[in-house]
Amino acid sequence: VQLVESGGGSVAPGQSVTLFCAISGPTARTDSTYCVGWFRQTPGNEREGLAAIDREGRTRYNNRVEGRVTISRDNTENVVYLQIDDLRSEDSATYTCAADRIGINHGLNRLWYGVWGRGTQVTVSS
């Protein structure tokens, strides 16, 4: 399975951005992509889990961003979306999606994921 992120770029503070995680490959529709999580990382910091969603639509959110972040999933198109509202400078980071056959209760823990995309950069700047 392959994960490819897109949708990043330069965004003004207060605006919203929607990121896309496209899932492809011969095992894209198997349990290997049962749970998909979105993470972000800034230089010198660990990768932080933001949100996760399983194939049934159950979700988990990081308390730090809950209320500003929405994760959703289109199982037909094999795409997982992450919308971030009210962007702030501290949201500038590389955003990466990951997938694995794990329970949603582990969805924000990067150590549980075995498949990762390469990331997309979001820069919040006026």
Side-chain angles (χ1 to χ4, degrees):
V1 62
Q2 291 181 318
L3 307 179
V4 178
E5 302 91 341
S6 61
S10 182
V11 189
Q15 291 191 339
S16 300
V17 68
T18 298
L19 306 179
F20 303 83
C21 175
I23 307 168
S24 63
T27 61
R29 298 182 186 279
T30 69
D31 281 349
S32 64
T33 59
Y34 180 79
C35 186
V36 176
W38 275 100
F39 295 77
R40 69 181 178 189
Q41 187 173 25
T42 55
N45 294 310
E46 287 190 354
R47 199 168 266 173
E48 175 186 34
L50 300 176
I53 187 167
D54 68 17
R55 200 178 294 277
E56 278 73 41
R58 288 181 289 253
T59 58
R60 284 291 185 275
Y61 289 98
N62 186 325
N63 289 338
R64 291 182 57 194
V65 295
E66 191 165 14
R68 293 198 301 124
V69 169
T70 304
I71 190 169
S72 59
R73 180 170 187 162
D74 185 332
N75 289 328
T76 301
E77 297 296 328
N78 268 352
V79 179
V80 175
Y81 308 92
L82 185 73
Q83 179 177 322
I84 311 171
D85 299 320
D86 188 24
L87 283 160
R88 307 163 184 174
S89 58
E90 55 263 37
D91 293 320
S92 295
T94 298
Y95 287 75
T96 309
C97 60
D100 216 314
R101 187 177 181 269
I102 61 174
I104 190 64
N105 52 316
H106 300 298
L108 298 182
N109 189 333
R110 58 186 173 83
L111 299 178
W112 284 79
Y113 288 95
V115 181
W116 292 84
R118 293 189 174 186
T120 184
Q121 179 70 34
V122 173
T123 302
V124 183
S125 173
S126 55

